[in-house]
C-alpha cells in the first residue's frame, strides 16, 4: 500500500498538468502564437507593456476597419471578438504595469506609454459609443472596452505619482 501511494500521487499530478496548460492557453486566446512568443521573449515589463499596447492598437484598427467595411459573414462576431481582444490586451498591459510596480522595476517609460496610449484609445471608443449604426450588436463589449481603458489610464496616472523617476548620476 505504501508503494502505491506515491505512484497514485504522480499519476494525479500527471493528469492535472495538461488541464493547467489548457487553462493558461485559453486565457490568452486573443493573441496569436507569434504575439504570445513575443510577450514571453520580452525581457522587461516595459517591453511587455509596449507589446500589449501595440496589439491593442492593432485590434482597435481592425475593429474600425470592420465597421467601415463590413464582411458578409460573421460580421457581428468579428466586431465582438476584436473588442474582447482589445480589452484583453489593455487589461494585461495594466496587470504587467502593476506587477512591475510591485517588483520595484524601473517601468517609468511603460507607465508613460500606458497613460499616453490609453488617452489616444479612449476618444476612438467613445466616438463609436456615441455614433454607430450597429451599436446594439456590440454595445456591451464597447462599454467594457471604454471602462477598461479608463481604468488603465487612471492606474497609469496614479502610478506616475507613486513611482519616482530614476536617480540622476552627477558627473564629477
Amino acid at each position: 500500500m505504501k508503494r502505491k501511494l506515491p505512484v497514485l500521487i504522480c499519476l494525479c499530478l500527471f493528469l492535472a498538468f495538461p488541464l493547467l496548460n489548457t487553462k493558461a492557453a485559453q486565457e490568452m486566446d486573443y493573441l496569436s502564437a507569434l504575439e504570445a512568443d513575443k510577450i514571453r521573449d520580452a525581457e522587461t515589463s516595459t517591453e511587455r507593456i509596449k507589446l500589449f499596447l501595440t496589439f491593442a492598437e492593432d485590434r482597435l484598427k481592425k475593429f474600425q476597419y470592420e465597421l467601415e467595411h463590413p464582411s458578409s459573414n460573421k460580421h457581428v462576431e468579428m466586431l465582438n471578438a476584436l473588442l474582447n481582444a482589445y480589452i484583453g490586451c489593455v487589461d494585461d498591459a495594466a496587470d504587467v504595469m502593476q506587477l512591475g510596480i510591485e517588483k520595484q522595476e524601473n517601468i517609468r517609460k511603460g507607465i508613460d506609454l500606458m497613460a499616453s496610449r490609453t488617452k489616444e484609445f479612449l476618444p476612438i471608443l467613445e466616438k463609436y459609443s456615441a455614433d454607430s449604426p450597429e451599436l446594439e450588436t456590440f454595445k456591451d463589449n464597447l462599454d467594457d472596452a471604454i471602462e477598461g481603458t479608463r481604468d488603465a489610464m487612471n492606474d497609469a496616472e496614479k502610478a506616475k505619482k507613486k513611482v519616482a523617476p530614476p536617480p540622476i548620476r552627477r558627473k564629477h
Side-chain angles (χ1 to χ4, degrees):
M1 181 68 180
K2 287 183 180 182
R3 221 162 196 239
K4 289 184 181 180
L5 188 59
V7 173
L8 185 61
I9 291 172
C10 289
L11 182 63
C12 290
L13 288 175
F14 179 73
L15 293 174
F17 279 116
L19 296 175
L20 294 175
N21 290 338
T22 305
K23 185 175 189 234
Q26 289 174 349
E27 287 177 8
M28 292 218 179
D29 61 347
Y30 55 88
L31 294 177
S32 70
L34 181 63
E35 291 169 336
D37 287 342
K38 285 182 180 180
I39 295 291
R40 270 191 295 279
D41 293 342
E43 293 182 9
T44 65
S45 294
T46 298
E47 290 175 17
R48 286 186 202 92
I49 292 169
K50 182 179 178 182
L51 286 169
F52 275 124
L53 291 174
T54 301
F55 301 151
E57 180 182 28
D58 181 54
R59 292 345 183 248
L60 191 56
K61 285 181 180 179
K62 287 178 181 177
F63 175 79
Q64 291 174 296
Y65 182 84
E66 184 66 27
L67 271 176
E68 293 169 9
H69 306 90
S71 61
S72 59
N73 58 347
K74 298 186 180 184
H75 175 66
V76 174
E77 291 86 359
M78 177 68 76
L79 291 173
N80 285 304
L82 289 168
L83 281 174
N84 283 329
Y86 166 83
I87 295 166
C89 290
V90 170
D91 286 346
D92 283 346
D95 291 344
V96 169
M97 181 183 70
Q98 292 300 326
L99 187 64
I101 291 169
E102 289 172 15
K103 290 183 174 182
Q104 298 181 350
E105 294 178 19
N106 181 11
I107 59 163
R108 186 79 179 163
K109 289 180 183 177
I111 293 170
D112 292 341
L113 186 63
M114 174 71 88
S116 67
R117 298 300 292 277
T118 52
K119 284 180 185 174
E120 293 170 13
F121 297 157
L122 194 57
I124 295 168
L125 294 168
E126 288 173 338
K127 177 182 88 171
Y128 290 114
S129 179
D131 182 35
S132 180
E134 305 173 54
L135 180 62
E136 289 305 313
T137 60
F138 57 84
K139 183 175 180 4
D140 292 338
N141 287 325
L142 182 61
D143 291 342
D144 289 345
I146 291 171
E147 182 182 345
T149 303
R150 281 191 183 129
D151 290 345
M153 185 173 61
N154 293 336
D155 289 348
E157 292 300 326
K158 288 177 190 173
K160 276 185 180 180
K161 296 173 186 171
K162 192 179 350 179
V163 177
I168 299 172
R169 293 186 178 226
R170 294 184 223 175
K171 296 180 182 177
H172 295 284

